[in-house]
Amino acid sequence: MEYCKVFLKPKKEESLLRFHPWVFSGAIQSVEGDPEEGDLVEVYGANQHFLAIGHYQVGSIAVRVLSFTPITIDNAFWIERIRIAYELRKTLRLAGIENNNTFRLVHGEGDNLPGLVIDMYAHTAVMQAHSVGMHYARHQIAEALKAVLGDTLQNIYYKSEATLPYKANLGSENGYLFGGEVEDVAIENGLKFYVDWQKGQKTGFFVDQRENRSLLEHYAKDRSVLNMFCYTGGFSFYAMRGGAKVVHSVDSSAKAISLTKKNVELNFPGDPRHEAYAEDAFKYLEKMGSNYDLIILDPPAFAKHKNVLRNALQGYRKLNAIAFEKIKPGGILFTFSCSQVVSKENFRLAVFSAAAQSGRNVRILHQLTQPADHPVNIYHPEGEYLKGLVLYVE
Ligand code: SAH
């Protein structure tokens, strides 16, 4: 197959030679042919040698690389990449085992599939395309999933309405590519939960907090827990299994609260330790007393773009300051940021300012990040996004 060719300016091939999977539009000297967004293109250096093949895009990232060797992107390619991703999840002991069937199967650049995210919930794969190229490849990817996962796969839900570039105007609708209408109960570390991939945020569940939830369980015994920004209640049912005295879950979304209640009920039917409130975080934190000695703050990304970084850091500082002020002596704070544009250092600085403002003696017990099924491609450090601190507050 003949592909359009993208030629880079002199000296602009450095990052590709170091396997960084993006070509920025500013690095392009000329384009041979007239590629449309989503087409496969080949990338060449200034002296005409092959560098990469990938999906063409309109915007500051012009090409997302699928391979640094000249291969054909056919069904066998998709099967091979998905197979490698699945093998890794088995190695991580997340797939093919008894007490867990929830994991991220494909994490974009981290699995050498830029622009593609696939989360597994029991027998359902939820697929999300972030690029037009991946959107066009969706049926091939679905076939590859079936080939690799076999009988364990019964549904594939495609959910890209909100993640595809808006300007591409693809009119993509969310829906099943395979299977259909089901209510699946997924299992994470032996705990059960319903996932609403159709109406829920992202792919329906925040798979990336699995290990941090496990760590929380370890500290929960006899504590009074506040799970702020609880969404589907993940941290709450772990806290309950860990022996918490009380667990209060708070989220501004009424839908999230009803899912949290449903999930707690699924694991701990009729357990009086849990209460859930649909309320704004700042309002709740301002008016609450000082009864909690384990607080989780896992807010949505405060900054989605670099130019709002300052406001985001202010937001993290304000939020954490109230928690430091109110947490009981001897309390433990789990605090997170999932904004990609907020660096580990900046987040720590915001939390540091909040601690200083409260005047409390604070120690860092753990520095947390995303789990291994959200791997970071070593050539693409931008893939590291989740940051967390576990703090002991005297
Ligand atoms: N901790 C969750 C994920 C949190 S996602 C988990 O482990 O699954 C962020 C959540 O914050 C969303 O559910 C969103 O509804 C909620 N949220 C956003 N703004 C809020 C606000 N101002 N007050 C309370 N909750 C808010």
Side-chain angles (χ1 to χ4, degrees), residues 110-158:
D111 284 291
N112 297 312
L113 289 167
L116 181 68
V117 163
I118 302 175
D119 284 338
M120 287 299 304
Y121 302 114
H123 303 293
T124 302
V126 182
M127 191 202 298
Q128 212 160 49
H130 292 255
S131 70
V132 179
M134 286 299 180
H135 173 69
Y136 289 151
R138 67 195 182 283
H139 295 294
Q140 276 178 297
I141 297 166
E143 288 309 312
L145 281 171
K146 288 191 225 167
V148 173
L149 297 172
D151 290 348
T152 46
L153 184 70
Q154 288 163 17
N155 311 288
I156 301 175
Y157 189 69
Y158 184 62

Side-chain angles (χ1 to χ4, degrees), residues 107 339-342 344 368-370 374-377 380-387:
H107 185 59
S339 314
Q340 193 167 358
V341 295
V342 174
K344 205 179 341 183
L368 307 178
T369 180
Q370 64 218 54
H374 295 58
V376 182
N377 178 341
H380 179 258
E382 296 91 330
E384 194 175 342
Y385 68 98
L386 184 64
K387 303 153 286 285

Side-chain angles (χ1 to χ4, degrees), residues 201 206 209 213 227-232 234-235 251-253 256 279-281 298-300:
Q201 301 174 43
F206 284 78
Q209 288 286 24
R213 291 194 267 258
N227 180 9
M228 182 53 77
F229 308 99
C230 66
Y231 188 36
T232 53
F235 282 103
D251 199 289
S252 57
S253 147
E279 227 179 300
D280 172 75
D298 184 22

Side-chain angles (χ1 to χ4, degrees), residues 109 174 243 281 305 366:
E109 284 81 356
N174 294 341
H305 306 284
H366 301 271

Side-chain angles (χ1 to χ4, degrees), residues 188 201-202 204-210 213 227-237 250-257 260 277-284 296-302 319 336 338:
E188 183 185 87
Q201 301 174 43
K202 304 267 169 100
F205 190 71
F206 284 78
V207 187
D208 57 1
Q209 288 286 24
R210 177 195 319 105
R213 291 194 267 258
N227 180 9
M228 182 53 77
F229 308 99
C230 66
Y231 188 36
T232 53
F235 282 103
S236 302
F237 40 83
V250 180
D251 199 289
S252 57
S253 147
K255 238 191 262 160
I257 291 303
T260 293
Y277 308 98
E279 227 179 300
D280 172 75
F282 283 94
K283 274 198 195 136
Y284 188 94
I296 302 119
L297 298 176
D298 184 22
F302 281 171
L319 183 68
F336 296 95
C338 59

